[in-house]
Amino acid sequence: MPADRSIESARGNPILAHASRVDRTLADATPVIDLRGLRFSWDRGATPVLAIESLRIDAGERVFLHGASGSGKSTLLALLAGVVVAQGGQVRVLGTDLADLGPATRDRFRADHTGIIFQMFNLVPYLSVLENVLLPCDFSPRRRARAEARGGSPRAEALRLLASLDLDGPRFLARQPAQLSVGQQQRVAAARALIGAPELVIADEPTSALDADRRDAFLDLLFRECARESTTLLFVSHDAALAARFDRRIAFADINATATRLAAA
Amino acid sequence: MIAALALRSLRHRRATAALTVLSIALSVFLLLAIERLREEAREGFAATVSGTDLIVGARTSGVHLLLATVFHAGEAGSGLRWSSYRALAGHPAVAWTVPLTLGDSHRGFRVVGTDRGFFEHYRYGRALALSIASGTIFAGPREAVLGAETARRLGYAPGSDLILAHGSGDDGFMPHADRPFRVSGILAPTGTPVDRTVLVGLEDIDALHAPERIAQTDDPLAAALMAAEPSAEASRTITAFLVGLRTRPSALSMQREVNTFPDEPLTAILPAATLQEVWALVGVAEQALRAVSIMAVVVGLAGMLVALLTGIAERRREMAILRSVGARPSQVFALVAGEAAALAMAGVIVGAVVLHVALPLARPWLASRIGLVVGGVWPSVLEWQLMALVFVAGSLVGILPAWRLYRHSVADGLSIRT
């Protein structure tokens, strides 16, 4: 049945099917994240909070980035999302230097290629579970088309993702976020980050509000869905217990020269 | 898409949103209602008397003459001789005249002595003629026609008897219990001071006063002199008279002629011009009303601003989420500004609809109690403009919270920075 659907959608939209193959090829060839000589400070002229000489993450990698809170991890994520722009150096995502894009294009680029999961309060309070998951499709026609190609319709793809994250049942979909447990909210956020198969998923301490059992279950589900599309996962956490499950572990202090210097001082 | 989000967001906060809409609706209702009543009051006032080209009385100020003859306010004045009236009534430019004698009252309602021409020629509003609601116009002596309010308040019907007194006090100081009048008819409501009158023939006013002068004197010579006076008509004085001219443009030259009348000093006024003069006096109150209604709108919009500003803190998180899924800061701005615009729009619509539902319901009451004839259900051009103004003002008010959230969403990025 799923096979039928994908054939049908490929036949129905050959350009789309082609485009997604090209995307995949490109992603394979170029690193998903490529930072060089990055310098960033929130206020002009102040000491940089980030100074990263080099960081490269390839397609399909599952990377665990750990560091103390307040060390600038969230700032790095904002840079990768294109919400803020570095004062110096290069931030390439999928081969595109984000500094070359205008603000509106960067927002569009983020909508098209990046899924983001926050530590908590991920959901828009006045939208239902299903509407929250579908949000990226409202902002990105590319994500919408890719969700359609995978599920038949964005709605069907959202339902598939929610089901695979153990969030089944029609009674669940119409609920408001306030009626969900924290663990359920985080899984809905994961479904939203994953819908339309963005190349990069950034998770900023998504499990810190969960207990150990739920944390492991959450990771299982997240890994499974990322593996399905060979999505690159950048997972930020200070919880070292999780590190063993990732392909690659990066200590933030090792890559951020500012942090080292501050620690030394 | 942003519009859909804005509507969902408003629905989520429907209690606050409903209160905001209500406060704006109330202020819009007040603004439009006051504007409508103000407009109608002015029009109604300017049309208290229409179709009359000149009002002529003894030499006095124009405002005084108007107040006395049309509004029955203030003292009637010294009056003018019947012969002067006859002379001017016969002027070739004059089409018709209606004599008026004031100064008497009945239980607080002014008694107006006139003739049957009053019912034929008096016009109010947009050239509306007086009409009899029940009974007939007075035909013989001691018959009275009552204004609608007089009849309603005093409980008279055609056929009722009433006693007239000389003077204008509530309990006139010279009652004439032996001379009862019979109510011959009652006028339909007009929304003008005519509603509060008792209309009788001039001869009745003469008769009311003349014999008592004889009865009051013990001096036979005086009595003889009075009896020897020519006819009642010759010695009659009237307060004023209404003039209709054959051609409108001759009003100014006719006014000049009356003002320089050789036999006695007279004043002629153009009613419309003098009505405007009087309205200018009450114009301050009119401006005060408008100021109050504008303040109400300011209060209504301030309520919305407070609601939107207090919502900012809790909405920063929401905006960061929207940013993370690709919303541009300008879309964050549009979302918040759009909500304010939607609230303002809803407030304006609700306020206007309530007014236009309430107006027809209030119309009979306004017409009968206050004498305001409130017409037209469809909003006037001015009302459309006022509604548009409130909507624009409400949308502008939304810019402040929208701008602040925009600034936050640019500065916050994906995590709330304080």
Side-chain angles (χ1 to χ4, degrees), chain B residues 153-215:
Chain B
R153 292 268 285 272
L154 301 183
Y156 287 133
S160 306
D161 281 347
L162 55 91
I163 314 286
L164 294 190
H166 186 53
S168 55
D170 195 13
D171 48 359
F173 47 86
M174 285 179 219
H176 300 266
D178 55 330
R179 294 188 168 278
F181 278 65
R182 199 179 61 80
V183 177
S184 72
I186 291 164
L187 291 170
T190 62
T192 71
V194 172
D195 291 351
R196 293 182 294 277
T197 56
V198 175
L199 297 156
V200 298
L202 278 181
E203 301 78 11
D204 290 319
I205 298 280
D206 295 338
L208 201 61
H209 302 153
E212 85 197 2
R213 281 182 292 184
I214 295 170

Side-chain angles (χ1 to χ4, degrees), chain B residues 51-54 56 85-99 115 117-118 120-123 241-251 254:
Chain B
T52 297
D53 295 310
L54 292 173
V56 179
Y85 168 68
R86 293 305 319 162
L88 286 166
H91 192 282
V94 172
W96 54 264
T97 54
V98 174
D115 62 19
F118 185 78
E120 194 185 328
H121 297 299
Y122 189 87
R123 294 285 185 277
F241 59 97
L242 311 178
V243 179
L245 296 171
R246 293 189 194 282
T247 57
R248 263 270 159 86
S250 57
M254 191 66 201

Side-chain angles (χ1 to χ4, degrees), chain B residues 46-68:
Chain B
T48 309
V49 53
S50 58
T52 297
D53 295 310
L54 292 173
I55 299 175
V56 179
R59 175 65 47 84
T60 178
S61 81
V63 169
H64 180 244
L65 181 59
L66 181 86
L67 289 177

Side-chain angles (χ1 to χ4, degrees), chain A residues 42-43 74 77-78 81-84 103-105 107-108 110-111 114 116 118 120-128 131-132 135-136 138-140 143 176 192 204, chain B residues 1-2 4-13 314-315 317-331 335 339 409-415 417:
Chain A
W42 281 105
D43 300 307
S74 295
L77 300 190
V83 175
V84 291
T105 323
D107 290 329
R108 179 61 178 280
R110 170 172 68 257
T114 314
I116 296 170
F118 296 114
M120 50 170 57
F121 306 124
N122 267 289
L123 307 181
V124 176
Y126 48 82
L127 298 178
S128 71
E131 289 165 332
N132 262 291
L135 259 183
D138 292 335
F139 286 93
S140 163
R143 296 271 291 273
Q176 300 285 312
R192 184 176 66 203
D204 188 1
Chain B
M1 198 263 303
I2 290 298
L5 278 181
L7 290 178
R8 293 302 301 271
S9 156
L10 287 176
R11 222 174 74 185
H12 184 66
R13 291 171 288 122
E314 64 188 66
R315 297 195 73 180
R317 185 71 234 165
E318 172 194 336
M319 298 309 162
I321 296 166
L322 291 176
R323 289 280 283 141
S324 80
V325 296
R328 296 191 294 276
S330 62
Q331 288 175 311
L335 176 60
E339 284 179 26
S409 75
V410 169
D412 284 348
L414 301 177
S415 47
R417 279 161 42 85

Side-chain angles (χ1 to χ4, degrees), chain B residues 261-275:
Chain B
F261 189 67
D263 296 359
E264 62 177 323
L266 297 178
T267 296
I269 57 167
L270 303 167
T274 310
L275 278 166

Side-chain angles (χ1 to χ4, degrees), chain A residues 1-14 16-17 20-21 146-153 157 228-229:
Chain A
M1 199 45 199
D4 285 353
R5 223 175 18 230
S6 64
I7 290 166
E8 195 180 284
S9 64
R11 197 167 52 217
N13 196 340
L16 203 74
S20 98
R21 270 199 305 279
R146 285 163 71 95
E148 218 166 81
R150 280 158 180 78
S153 73
E157 175 67 359
R228 213 180 132 90
E229 299 282 347

